[in-house]
Amino acid sequence: MGEVSGRSGRGARDASTRTHEPDPPRRRGEAWRSLLSVRSLAGQVFLLQLAVVVLLVAATLLALVVQARRDNMADAKTRTLSTAQTFANSPGIVAALQSAHPSAALQPYAKAAGKAAGVDAIIVYGLNGVTLTHSDPHQIGKRVIGPYAKAANGKPFTSTFQGSLGLSVISAVPVKAPDGQVIAIVSVPVTVQKVQHMVNRQLPVLFGGAAVALAVAAGGSALVSRRLRRQTHGLGPVEMTRMYEHHDAVLHAVREGVLIVGGDGRLLLANDEARRLLDLPADAEKRHIADLGLEEDLAELLASDRPATDKVYRAGDRLLAVNKRLTAPHGSVGSVVTLRDTTELQALSGRAEVARERLKALYDAGLRIGTTLDVKRTAEELAEVAVPRFADIVTVELLDPVLRGEEPSGGSARTSRLRRSAVAGLDSAHLLHPVGELIGFIPGHPVSLAMADGRPVLAGDLSASEAWLAQDPERARQIIEQGVHSMLVVPLRARGVVLGVVDYWRAEGSPPFEDDDVSFAEELAARAALCIDNARRYTREHAMAVTLQHSLLPRGLPEQSALDVAYRYLPAQAGVGGDWFDVIPLSGARVALVVGDVVGHGLHAAATMGRLRTAVRNFAGLDLPVEELLIRLDELVAQIDAEEIATAEDGQGMITGATCQYAVYDPTSGRLDLATAGHPGPAVVRPDGTVDFPQLPVSPPLGLGAGLPVETAELAVPEGSRVVLFTDGLIEDRTRDLDAGLEALREALAGPERTPEATCAAVMETMLSDRPRDDIALLVARTCRLGPAQVAAWDVPQDPAAVGPVRSACARRLTEWGLEQVVFTAELILSELITNAVRYGAEPIVVRLLRTEPVSGPAAGTLIFEVADGSSTSPRLRRAKATDEGGRGLFLVAQFAERWGTRYTPTGKVIWAEQSLHDGAAPEVEGLGDILLDQWDDTAP
């Protein structure tokens, strides 16, 4: 069986391969030699077909040649007769014959007519036999004797005749006078040689057609024979007979049942073993499978077109392993089925199936447990994986420190108080303690034993477990009544620490837990415990990062009068990131808005964010222009990266990636100066509700500038506009690209007038996804303007005498503002500032007073003094010497103003001071003399 079947199988595979792949030249040569060999059945059939085809083509060709010759002779006779009749009955021939020189009159016409008719000649004879016209002029006038008796009697005729032109087909027709008397004979010959020439011209066509027919027939025979060779695998008649005899003998001798089923579901062949295994009747062949009395599921498989591999079916008291393969496309439609008795292997197969299912369950557990870094969700995934594959009910109890992300202590591992974290497979919620409940287990309880010993505890019969029954007798009774009968408790141990336990329960319909189940339960619990511990560690780090981040972010908005500001900050679900924002009041009632983003998540990103935010506030306190501030910040990030690389043990420190956008708004001019380093640009919502995304020059992210200059954009923002700054987490999401995010933001911002707080709420509701992958920082600021009634300015000549008039004008303006209580201190501050500018500064000198009011709240606001001049030098405070006669003016300014400082402009500098206008802000002046004599001093630069 093995040898014959192997040969047959190899032949089938070879045939299949040759069907789909082109034969190489060597194999094609071997195939043709096999095809022409008389030893194979295919070669014999091919040669026989080729001989029959050659004989048929030769006979057909001979018949065609004979038929062509016969047709050409008939055509010659018809043509000569019609030509002779036409010439004999042509007009004028009688007159020409009766003329004095008939040959001269008829010869030219005879030659022309013969040439036109395609005959050899048109010969006219008199009744006396004298030739009047001829194709050969030398024959004219000669007397000839020919078979013209019929024509002379008035009857035309056609015959083969040996004349002066050779053997010819000749037709003779009488020429009659008007009275009916024959006066001459017209003879038209065509030589047999010419007829043969016409036949010869047709022979190439005939032979070509015969050759084509022979080639087509030979090719068809070759294809048929080649297919026959494939099907017979090049075997000869004797070999084929022997092979099928062996095949039939082996088929019925093997110990496996073999069935061949046709495409219509009828049994075509069954060997002896198949008949025995299926108990088939003697006349089973040719009958339908459904009529053989087989089991329903087995009969359905055999009659279908569905393949099967080692499928086990019952046949009587036997369990049969069934393999089924379809014969198409390698044969006719049907299937081949093999049957093997596996009754003795069923028990072993059952155990192997259980092991396979458990391996698959462990594999699935590796994929499904630990998909998130959440302790409770990981516990729920453990319970869901084990139900219903291993247990009917699964509960997970964890220590409270684990749920909080803390490290369990040694004493915690021995405690008997655990919090239920997950339940799966429970229909009646009232049976077990609910999720979230803290459960205290009594000594001897399976959970207490598992926590204390760190090993699994099996309670095969809960009704006999006294400690479990004593824990809660009423609840235990209800559980047993519901059919729950056994319990397996496995501690969740990771890195040598017990985190909690997992309880497996089995109810009615499932076998009790056995010792063989413990190893699987331990493996499953070990994988879950590692994931729970990873989630615990992440929870701890996440809590630390959140605490650090909250300590570094603004805890409130500063009081200022230029902008009405609202904000939102939302950390990512996956971890704390490095997004930040800030609102920084500047001198001259200006306000700075900042948003930034540090790449990455975790403690490093949060700490880097804090460093950058602190640096921005320090740089802003120096009143640096926006472009210079970003240049300083870029240098700081580059320095941080250099320090990281220098201190890293492997020489590859963590590179800081960060972006930042810095904007300064001036309420006196309504101008917004912006600069951005790799950050998305802002949105500006006009008072009419239209939204614009200004095109800003973008510099490289922080740390990558490499000394490149930063470009600044200046925007004129109408009063009541809303300036919206944000980080990329707001507009970028896995479900949309950047353009779609910007368009969605535009739709959320557009619309009627809204407060910044309402704008933040609308944007977050529209843009926020279910689980944001990145931090989101959103800052919305509505612009305000200082009106003409809140600003006063004077140009001051560089003359000490001009100080007094300007000081008086400022006092009058303060009186108009209703600020009489601060006139004295205001005059003192202005007098010192203006005097310094006149004495040490350069023209132009401009004095400006600003009165601001907070955006919210009842406070009286702030009074701002500014003295600008064209010099870039700045005064500073120092201790005056006892011998110094002056230089104490800035000390007075510092004493009576809440804040003061210097900021530089493109044309010089501005020295400014601020004084609060709330109740009691006016300083006491009684001790002014003592102050001047005792404390600090200032000098000119």
Short mmCIF file of all heavy atoms in Angstrom, two decimals, residues 116 180 230 283 297 365 503 614 658 754 809 824 826:
data_model
loop_
_atom_site.label_atom_id
_atom_site.label_comp_id
_atom_site.label_asym_id
_atom_site.label_seq_id
_atom_site.Cartn_x
_atom_site.Cartn_y
_atom_site.Cartn_z
N ALA A 116 -8.65 38.55 -75.31
CA ALA A 116 -9.59 39.00 -74.29
C ALA A 116 -10.30 37.84 -73.62
O ALA A 116 -10.62 37.88 -72.43
CB ALA A 116 -10.61 39.96 -74.90
N GLY A 180 -29.38 31.06 -93.51
CA GLY A 180 -29.21 29.85 -92.73
C GLY A 180 -28.17 28.90 -93.26
O GLY A 180 -27.99 27.83 -92.69
N ARG A 230 -0.12 12.41 -18.51
CA ARG A 230 -0.19 12.91 -17.14
C ARG A 230 -1.07 12.02 -16.28
O ARG A 230 -0.76 11.72 -15.12
CB ARG A 230 -0.74 14.34 -17.12
CG ARG A 230 0.23 15.38 -17.64
CD ARG A 230 -0.40 16.75 -17.61
NE ARG A 230 0.51 17.79 -18.08
CZ ARG A 230 0.18 19.07 -18.21
NH1 ARG A 230 -1.04 19.44 -17.89
NH2 ARG A 230 1.06 19.95 -18.64
N ASP A 283 -24.66 -3.72 -0.09
CA ASP A 283 -24.95 -2.91 -1.26
C ASP A 283 -24.79 -1.41 -0.95
O ASP A 283 -25.51 -0.56 -1.47
CB ASP A 283 -26.37 -3.16 -1.74
CG ASP A 283 -27.41 -2.86 -0.66
OD1 ASP A 283 -27.00 -2.72 0.53
OD2 ASP A 283 -28.60 -2.72 -0.99
N ASP A 297 -24.37 13.36 12.77
CA ASP A 297 -23.28 14.32 12.56
C ASP A 297 -22.22 13.77 11.63
O ASP A 297 -21.66 14.50 10.80
CB ASP A 297 -22.67 14.71 13.90
CG ASP A 297 -22.25 13.49 14.70
OD1 ASP A 297 -22.62 12.36 14.33
OD2 ASP A 297 -21.54 13.67 15.72
N ALA A 365 -4.41 35.02 28.75
CA ALA A 365 -4.22 35.84 29.95
C ALA A 365 -3.06 36.80 29.76
O ALA A 365 -3.11 37.96 30.19
CB ALA A 365 -3.98 34.94 31.16
N ASP A 503 -9.72 34.37 44.43
CA ASP A 503 -10.55 33.24 44.84
C ASP A 503 -11.26 32.68 43.61
O ASP A 503 -11.98 33.41 42.93
CB ASP A 503 -11.60 33.68 45.87
CG ASP A 503 -10.98 34.44 47.04
OD1 ASP A 503 -9.84 34.10 47.40
OD2 ASP A 503 -11.64 35.37 47.54
N THR A 614 9.66 78.48 35.83
CA THR A 614 10.36 79.41 36.72
C THR A 614 11.28 80.33 35.93
O THR A 614 11.37 81.54 36.20
CB THR A 614 11.16 78.62 37.77
OG1 THR A 614 10.28 77.78 38.51
CG2 THR A 614 11.88 79.55 38.72
N ALA A 658 11.12 70.54 24.07
CA ALA A 658 10.13 71.47 24.60
C ALA A 658 9.79 72.51 23.56
O ALA A 658 10.60 72.86 22.70
CB ALA A 658 10.63 72.13 25.88
N ARG A 754 -18.89 85.53 24.38
CA ARG A 754 -18.88 84.65 25.54
C ARG A 754 -17.76 85.06 26.46
O ARG A 754 -16.72 85.58 26.01
CB ARG A 754 -18.69 83.19 25.12
CG ARG A 754 -19.93 82.53 24.55
CD ARG A 754 -19.69 81.06 24.32
NE ARG A 754 -18.69 80.82 23.30
CZ ARG A 754 -18.68 79.77 22.49
NH1 ARG A 754 -19.63 78.86 22.60
NH2 ARG A 754 -17.73 79.61 21.61
N ALA A 809 1.20 119.77 36.72
CA ALA A 809 0.20 119.22 35.80
C ALA A 809 -0.23 117.82 36.24
O ALA A 809 -1.41 117.45 36.15
CB ALA A 809 0.77 119.20 34.39
N PHE A 824 0.50 114.00 47.20
CA PHE A 824 1.81 114.30 47.80
C PHE A 824 2.86 113.26 47.39
O PHE A 824 3.95 113.60 46.93
CB PHE A 824 1.68 114.39 49.32
CG PHE A 824 2.99 114.61 50.01
CD1 PHE A 824 3.58 115.87 50.04
CD2 PHE A 824 3.68 113.55 50.62
CE1 PHE A 824 4.80 116.07 50.67
CE2 PHE A 824 4.90 113.74 51.24
CZ PHE A 824 5.46 115.01 51.26
N ALA A 826 2.69 111.13 45.00
CA ALA A 826 2.87 111.09 43.55
C ALA A 826 3.82 112.19 43.11
O ALA A 826 4.70 111.98 42.25
CB ALA A 826 1.53 111.23 42.85
#
